[in-house]
Amino acid sequence: MTEHAARAFVLDRRPHREQDLRVTLLTEHGARVDAVALNAQRSKRRFMGALTPLALYRVRYTTTARATRLDEALVEQVWPGLARGLRSQTAALAATGIVRAVAEPAPHDGALFLLLGELYTAAAASDDRDALAARLVRFAFEVLDHTGHAVALDRCVRCDTPAPDGARVTVDPHLGGVVCRGCGGGAYAMSAADRADLRAVRAGDYARGRAEMLRWTARIIEGVSVDAAGSIAGVVDHFDPR
Ligand SMILES: [Zn+2]
């Protein structure tokens, strides 16, 4: 039996048996922890905030050979802007879903934890759909970078040949980016303008963000995780209905 203490985000929570909750946490050390919180549907004292996502908790949990038990969760930080703005909340929940889909059980590094906190802060500060989309697009690419699924938009993933800036290219989500014609091409054609905008946002130029960019991001990410792509697709429908 080992006891742990860490700051953590709740990535998911669902009822378990009559009074318990099952939660998925992301700790500050980069581990995805699946734990059972006994009597959590009733005890608001041990589990402040009822373990809802979009807050930062300080948790204590115990691991045994068979299971992980959440002993306590205290709210350390909330983002009121996420409760006020529906778009902000949608973006933050999608980011949470992306992390849930790709985070690894074993401690990795603290990057995902830091990225998610930054995303919550940025999302809470704006209700503009293009600004939120820009944040979410960059977040998604950074999460992929940190989990070993970096997407190549500047060169062919197979032969490493640079793609000229003004060129229309094709992308294969399962191969992780641009695939040149000589290497067989990819399923989706991406215009030079779309690619330039995506690369700019990815590099931190948020002013280039547009809600429709989320469609491309969902498509590219589908090759890595269908669940993560689904999280983004939910935002697309909300921000950019067609
Ligand atoms: Zn190639």
Side-chain angles (χ1 to χ4, degrees), residues 8-13 23-25 51-55 57 96 120:
F9 289 111
V10 174
L11 301 180
D12 192 27
R13 82 194 270 285
V23 292
T24 304
L25 308 173
L51 294 169
T52 49
L54 308 187
Y57 295 85
T96 308
Y120 286 177

Side-chain angles (χ1 to χ4, degrees), residues 156 159 180 183:
C156 172
C159 69
C180 77
C183 291

Side-chain angles (χ1 to χ4, degrees), residues 84-99:
R84 280 198 303 268
L86 187 55
R87 277 190 207 133
S88 298
Q89 188 175 106
T90 303
L93 285 172
T96 308
I98 293 169
V99 172

Side-chain angles (χ1 to χ4, degrees), residues 13-170:
R13 82 194 270 285
R14 53 232 174 263
H16 179 60
R17 296 194 289 251
E18 268 190 27
Q19 299 175 8
D20 307 339
L21 286 177
R22 250 180 198 290
V23 292
T24 304
L25 308 173
L26 175 74
T27 73
E28 61 190 308
H29 312 297
R32 195 192 68 228
V33 176
D34 290 299
V36 173
L38 298 173
N39 289 314
Q41 293 186 40
R42 291 191 173 175
S43 174
K44 298 286 191 288
R45 187 167 51 79
R46 274 187 308 136
F47 304 108
M48 269 168 64
L51 294 169
T52 49
L54 308 187
L56 175 63
Y57 295 85
R58 188 167 284 280
V59 301
R60 287 192 302 106
Y61 60 96
T62 307
T63 52
T64 66
R66 288 192 315 152
T68 299
R69 187 186 70 216
L70 184 66
D71 300 310
E72 187 179 65
L74 304 175
V75 174
E76 182 154 301
Q77 186 179 351
V78 293
W79 284 264
L82 298 182
R84 280 198 303 268
L86 187 55
R87 277 190 207 133
S88 298
Q89 188 175 106
T90 303
L93 285 172
T96 308
I98 293 169
V99 172
R100 181 171 65 234
V102 301
E104 293 159 13
H108 185 56
D109 64 44
L112 294 190
F113 177 87
L114 294 174
L115 287 171
L116 193 57
E118 284 171 15
L119 188 283
Y120 286 177
T121 299
S126 172
D127 195 36
D128 178 79
R129 75 184 72 201
D130 290 335
L132 286 167
R135 293 285 178 169
L136 192 55
V137 166
R138 188 175 193 215
F139 173 85
F141 280 116
E142 288 190 313
V143 166
L144 294 190
D145 286 347
H146 279 284
T147 51
H149 303 289
V151 173
L153 292 177
D154 61 336
R155 54 188 57 242
C156 172
V157 293
R158 291 218 151 155
C159 69
D160 220 31
T161 302
D165 282 349
R168 178 186 179 84
V169 299
T170 61

